[in-house]
Amino acid sequence: MPLPAEEIPVGQVEIKKRSRVPGVMITQYVKELPHGKTTPDFTRKPIALTVQEGRVAIFKAVVNGDPVPTVTWARNKGDTSDPEEYKPRYDERTREHVLEIVNVQVDQADTYKCFATNLFGKAMCTAALSVFAVGFKKKSKDASKKDDQTNDPEDFRKMLRKTTIAKKRKEKPKKEGEIDPKFWEVMLSAKKSDYEHICHEFGVTDYRWMLKQLNLKKKEKEDEQAKVVENVGNMKQIEVKTSGRAEFEFDMKLKDANSKINLYKNGEMLDYGDGTDDSSKHNMKKTGDKYMFSINNLGLNDGGLYQVDVEDVNIISTTLAIPDVEFDGMLKDAKVVEGQDAMFEGIFSGPVPQITWCANDISVEHGDKYNITVSEDKLTHRLVVKNCKKEDKGVYTAIAGIKSSRATLAVDEDPNIKGKGRGGESDGADVFARLLADEQARLQREKDEAARRGKGTDGRGDGADGHGGAADGRGDGVDGHGGLGGDGREGCGGDATGKYGQGGLGGLDGSGGNRLGGDARGKYRQGGDGKDGSGKSAKDSGMGLGADGLGGQSAVAGSGGDGTDDKVHFASGLTDKNALRGKPAELVCKLNTDKMDGVWYKDGNKLTSKDGVVISKDGCTHKLIIQNCKDSDGGLYHFEVNGCKTEAMVRVGDLPEFDPDALQKFSNPVIVKAGQSASFKMSFPPQASLEIKWFKNGLELLDGGSVKVVKESNHSRLQIKDCLRSDTGQIKIQLKNPFGSIEALSSLIVLDKPGPPQGPLEVNESTSSVLELKWNPPKDDGGSEVTNYIIERQQVGQNTWKRVGDISANHLTFRDRNVSLGKRYIYRIYAENLEGISEAMETEKIMAGSLMFPGPPGTPKVVSAFKNCINLTWTPPEKDGGNKILGYQLEKRKKDTNQWVTLNPVKDPIQDLKYAVKDVSVGSEYEFRVTAINMSGPGEPSAPSMMVCAKNPNMKPHFKDPEDFMVVRSGNSIRIKINYEASPPPDITWLKNGEPVSPWNKIIHADGTCTLVIPSSKYSDSGVYTIVAKNSSGQASFDIEVRVTDEPKPPGPVALEQVVYGKVIITWSPSPDHNKDDRLHYMVAEYNSNTRIWRRIADHLLCTTYTTNIQPGQEYHFRVYARNDMGLSDPSESPTWGINNNKVPMPSTVSAVVTLERPPSILVPLKRHTPPKGYQCYMTCAVRGCPSPYIAWYHNGICINSDNNYYITNTSGVCSMYILRVRPEDSGEYKVVSVNPFGKAECSSTLKVKD
């Protein structure tokens, strides 16, 4: 049970909160809830039950709260502590709290309460239990005993049982307790980009079902919002700004400017300021139609669900998440060069699903400019600013709830844009690093040319060992290209302008020199000071360039020297070869001279043409061709000439292959519907060194997200989940090994609703009654042929859309014949296929026909003029512009001004040819003009009317609807108010009974009204009051009768006397007010033992006696009232006139005998019944008599006591007749006849069976 008010612990409070479940009351015991704790609430409350007597009643409830609430049950008028009757329990599987009431009785019908209580509050709701009985049941023993004790007729009424027919309404099945209702409230106001993380937060995985339900709920919400607002848009979810304040905003136009706007947090209403006071916690600032709500001084307790309602209609719901985390890694300042990317990284102490990033105090989102990522553990958040420019510099902020970190971004200008190679002294290291890659490619292209060169001049020599090289390592300044160094190493020098930096590219001979050399993988390393071949010290350093050669001699850039080189070396060496089995293979190398012949070897054995190979020489180029490769042709081949050699490995193998049957199946296209998954599978024989790749429209598909790629030794599968229409395209699988690759193609077709029809929309015809539109088919038919187009129309200025057309797909035009001239319309055109309806193509505003305005109406004429009203009339225009005149617009101009003022807007034209102008000033002069309005709009105005002055004409006084009689209670004030019309204002005089009223009475004059006030009235103030109004035009008077009285005092004692048998004379003493009030009269009421009700038998009696008829054997009571204009007095009661009054006195010797014998009488008659066909009917009445009378039931005059179609009972005078299922033939008159030796009584009613 919930805590009573007096048992609430000291320090606790009672705060009433609003629950999102209707009918639930929540009481909070603390001012501020601890973080993460909540008061109890009902996710599903128990529903009202109607059960049959003897059955089982079950109430179910689902509650939530932290800590977990305790649930108890109670009832309004009884106890639920009996475990045999009331069985509360908790269902672990369904998480339902259940109250089971076994063998329900009628006395258990009550209102039941369910309480959910925890440390921080309680929640309470109620549910009603109704119990009905079928058929007649015997009374309990206690009731029987009670009947033995008394025969009071009132007890018979209590014994009557009322039958109710319970009608159950069919409820649509619905899922309960699965999704938090807050989920839908947040989703209805969220952006589409936030759908995914909101679903993840609430655990919703069925994305397509969610979207379908969301669209339905959006329509329901829009219908509700349309009741209080005209439009709502531009909703921005709540976010924390760099100032530390949380804000959310939206645009809204109210239908009623006085509508209440309420702000709630977690269901509790909040007070808010107007934004002018910084000390206010919550504020609302309104600018035009924009509403901005803000929360200042954020704390951890400010997180929750915020909602804005207009009246009781929700407009926006938004969630403010304030995680309790700290920055473990703050943002660091970044400095980049234009065109580079900048990255900011924040690390938190705990997981944070989402934070806000701001650039110069403006929030940014993931897109083309910014890349926002979150680590899997939600601890690290990164912001990457792509392709930085000068305008990107500034302050960047990461905000997580109430915590934030700031850092600056500096963007420098790219130095490479400021004129490369200027001044001859460039930044050598940076420039060379960028140029070496280009130089490597260039050198490869020029090797053939370099091989043919002879001795170099101007620093471009081909010396054998680098003797005589230039001291500074520079070239001739023309192209910086050095000569061919000794041992097959090519030199490269710098030009005179410093294009390649200070110094040339150093040389490398057999003994080494001072250089920046390169290894075979293209890496750079600094060489040390050494001696060249001649022992001379090399002073200048250069930069080496290494090339990756397979089995060949590494090419190294060095400084060229003056001298000669007669040694043979390779311009290009052999490279490894993967040859296909049965196909030819070719090995090629190139020398620096065409004068030398070499020898080919395989695995150390010399090869000749007899070994099945073709050996050829073409100038400097030497070739070995294997015409039909076999496994035996694999091995290590090398070519040797004059002590130099180059070698390469030849491997023989086959291309990958597909399983033929799988390839045939794979070529068939896969067709799925949007939202379904598409699967592809390809089988192949197991193969070594096999690389498998999947592609869609030429782009490789990687495992992750909605793409699942399975790679096995003998097959591979591709699955694309939740397919979209954009996934339609070519699917390719590629198998690759060292000997080549093969591909197989298939296609994926995703069926979806079509795209919207395409514009531009053309208006082929526009008349006063027809609009013809033409459009283009959609770009994407959704993979299924468009079947038809749906056209909707909205008239500008209205909010409803109406379907006006549904045409087949082979028509791209539509004629709307239900338009009005001058009206503007907006159309929506949808394309439909077998998968659904597309988005709409919405048109601009289109006007029907051309505008033709009406001519000027007739000049307005003044009918009458008063000080507050001028009545005008005019005639319609001669030309209506070909359209019906919709009304008129009236304008006025005050004398000595130039401005015409409209008296009614164009949208609300005057329908008649007359108008009463009430917006005038007394004594001012005006002129008027009128303009006709048709479908095209207002036409030309009429000529102005004559000037007219706003003043009343001379008028004789005239009284407006006065009352000629009034009654006032003595002691109250008398206020006689008379309205009149007169011009000029009249002189007014008040008279009483023809004499002037007392000067002590107050007379109040107002505009057109005069009031006579007598503060405290007396009986003597009664009389005829006369008002006399007189002016220069005449005189008028009016009489008002005023009666001052009070509630009358009751008459004196009442006496009864019987002079004639069957008649009684009632006499009474007059009321004390009889002589004071000439309108006082008397009223007599009667009560007898037969009818048992008081009824009026005489009224408006001016005398003090009355004679009435009586029946023997009945008791009578009489009441006499005094009555006047104020009402009735208290009654004067008469003595009882009864049975014993007429009895003959018995001799004194005979003892008195008391008897209860009486004839039958009907206490409660039958009632009329109209049950539907097939329903039950239960008719009852109450009868008394002594001895107990015999009861007979009749249907249309025929006794039905022995008819088995009727169940008839009589218990202690309560007569019942029950029909299990009524039929049309059961309709008619039903009568109950009660008979005993002293008489007979009967009553009847009708039964009408409805179809």
Side-chain angles (χ1 to χ4, degrees), residues 832-910:
E832 183 176 12
N833 64 5
L834 296 177
E835 303 302 320
I837 300 175
S838 71
E839 299 294 329
M841 179 187 75
E842 188 167 314
T843 69
E844 299 292 334
K845 299 175 183 177
I846 303 173
M847 186 175 70
S850 57
L851 298 179
M852 297 182 66
F853 301 99
T859 303
K861 296 181 180 180
V862 178
V863 178
S864 60
F866 302 92
K867 66 178 182 179
N868 56 1
C869 180
I870 298 176
N871 293 301
L872 303 172
T873 185
W874 58 87
T875 58
E878 295 180 359
K879 297 180 180 180
D880 59 7
N883 291 289
K884 178 183 176 182
I885 299 296
L886 301 178
Y888 299 90
Q889 184 182 41
L890 188 63
E891 298 175 281
K892 69 175 181 179
R893 185 182 71 84
K894 195 173 183 181
K895 188 177 181 181
D896 299 328
T897 64
N898 296 323
Q899 183 179 6
W900 285 94
V901 179
T902 58
L903 298 175
N904 64 293
V906 176
K907 294 182 179 179
D908 186 19
I910 300 170

Side-chain angles (χ1 to χ4, degrees), residues 1066 1068 1082-1086 1095-1098 1101 1106 1119-1120:
I1066 308 168
W1068 60 91
Y1082 299 97
M1083 183 184 77
V1084 181
E1086 175 192 272
R1095 65 186 184 90
R1096 184 172 57 186
I1097 60 175
L1101 298 176
Y1106 181 73
R1119 289 177 178 173
V1120 181

Side-chain angles (χ1 to χ4, degrees), residues 151 191 196 313 338 452 572 666 725 800 827 848 880 1057:
N151 284 325
K191 297 183 296 186
E196 185 174 352
V313 178
E338 279 188 285
R452 298 190 194 97
S572 62
F666 185 79
R725 174 60 184 164
T800 57
Y827 291 87
D880 59 7
E1057 181 183 1

Side-chain angles (χ1 to χ4, degrees), residues 390-704:
K390 285 288 187 180
E391 53 267 26
D392 293 327
K393 65 182 179 180
V395 179
Y396 287 75
T397 309
I399 304 173
I402 58 176
K403 304 296 181 182
S404 63
S405 177
R406 300 164 69 92
T408 59
L409 171 62
V411 181
D412 294 339
E413 187 176 353
D414 188 354
N416 297 322
I417 303 177
K418 296 182 178 181
K420 290 184 178 180
R422 293 181 184 174
E425 291 291 326
S426 177
D427 187 355
D430 291 342
V431 174
F432 272 96
R434 289 193 298 272
L435 296 178
L436 280 177
D438 296 338
E439 185 66 17
Q440 181 181 10
R442 187 176 64 83
L443 289 175
Q444 184 66 33
R445 293 193 301 268
E446 296 181 355
K447 278 185 179 180
D448 291 339
E449 181 183 353
R452 298 190 194 97
R453 290 179 182 173
K455 294 182 180 180
T457 59
D458 295 331
R460 293 183 290 171
D462 61 349
D465 57 2
H467 289 285
D472 58 1
R474 297 190 179 183
D476 60 4
V478 178
D479 58 5
H481 195 285
L484 207 61
D487 215 4
R489 294 163 174 79
E490 184 178 358
C492 181
D495 64 8
T497 61
K499 183 176 181 181
Y500 296 105
Q502 261 187 337
L505 296 175
L508 179 65
D509 58 10
S511 61
N514 186 12
R515 68 200 182 280
L516 184 64
D519 61 12
R521 296 183 181 179
K523 295 183 179 179
Y524 308 111
R525 59 181 183 271
Q526 180 70 42
D529 288 337
K531 301 287 185 177
D532 59 12
S534 63
K536 296 181 180 180
S537 175
K539 298 179 179 179
D540 297 315
S541 63
M543 180 171 287
L545 176 65
D548 189 4
L550 296 175
Q553 209 66 18
S554 296
V556 181
S559 62
D562 294 332
T564 62
D565 183 9
D566 295 331
K567 292 184 178 180
V568 177
H569 61 272
F570 289 97
S572 62
L574 298 178
T575 58
D576 288 347
K577 190 73 174 180
N578 292 317
L580 292 175
R581 185 177 288 106
K583 300 293 182 180
E586 183 179 90
L587 295 175
V588 180
C589 63
K590 182 184 277 189
L591 295 175
N592 64 334
T593 177
D594 58 356
K595 298 178 181 179
M596 302 296 292
D597 293 329
V599 181
W600 291 90
Y601 295 88
K602 175 181 180 270
D603 296 329
N605 298 319
K606 183 178 179 181
L607 292 175
T608 63
S609 299
K610 297 179 180 180
D611 295 321
V613 296
V614 177
I615 299 173
S616 65
K617 174 188 175 186
D618 183 10
C620 300
T621 302
H622 297 260
K623 293 184 181 179
L624 172 67
I625 301 175
I626 306 172
Q627 293 181 338
N628 187 11
C629 292
K630 303 180 293 294
D631 290 340
S632 59
D633 292 326
L636 180 62
Y637 290 78
H638 74 268
F639 180 74
E640 185 174 336
V641 57
N642 199 20
C644 296
K645 69 176 181 180
T646 177
E647 60 185 20
M649 178 65 72
V650 175
R651 302 177 183 87
V652 179
D654 293 319
L655 288 173
E657 60 182 2
F658 294 112
D659 181 87
D661 294 335
L663 182 62
Q664 178 64 31
K665 293 179 181 180
F666 185 79
S667 62
N668 297 325
V670 174
I671 303 175
V672 297
K673 292 186 177 182
Q676 296 179 346
S677 298
S679 298
F680 298 85
K681 181 179 179 181
M682 176 60 77
S683 300
F684 42 80
Q687 303 164 53
S689 303
L690 188 64
E691 182 181 357
I692 306 170
K693 291 183 180 181
W694 289 88
F695 299 86
K696 186 186 78 174
N697 294 331
L699 300 177
E700 184 177 0
L701 296 175
L702 302 177
D703 191 16

Side-chain angles (χ1 to χ4, degrees), residues 1000-1026:
W1000 300 104
N1001 298 334
K1002 187 176 181 180
I1003 300 175
I1004 302 173
H1005 295 277
D1007 187 14
T1009 302
C1010 184
T1011 305
L1012 173 65
V1013 179
I1014 303 175
S1016 180
S1017 62
K1018 304 183 292 292
Y1019 280 91
S1020 60
D1021 291 325
S1022 298
V1024 177
Y1025 289 80
T1026 304

Side-chain angles (χ1 to χ4, degrees), residues 1002-1077:
K1002 187 176 181 180
I1003 300 175
I1004 302 173
H1005 295 277
D1007 187 14
T1009 302
C1010 184
T1011 305
L1012 173 65
V1013 179
I1014 303 175
S1016 180
S1017 62
K1018 304 183 292 292
Y1019 280 91
S1020 60
D1021 291 325
S1022 298
V1024 177
Y1025 289 80
T1026 304
I1027 180 173
V1028 180
K1030 182 178 181 181
N1031 66 1
S1032 58
S1033 298
Q1035 176 179 317
S1037 64
F1038 186 77
D1039 296 335
I1040 306 100
E1041 182 181 357
V1042 177
R1043 302 189 63 84
V1044 179
T1045 184
D1046 207 341
E1047 292 181 355
K1049 295 181 176 59
V1054 181
L1056 304 176
E1057 181 183 1
Q1058 184 176 16
V1059 177
V1060 179
Y1061 179 78
K1063 292 183 181 293
V1064 171
I1065 300 174
I1066 308 168
T1067 60
W1068 60 91
S1069 300
S1071 169
D1073 298 328
H1074 185 83
N1075 296 326
K1076 291 193 297 182
D1077 193 345

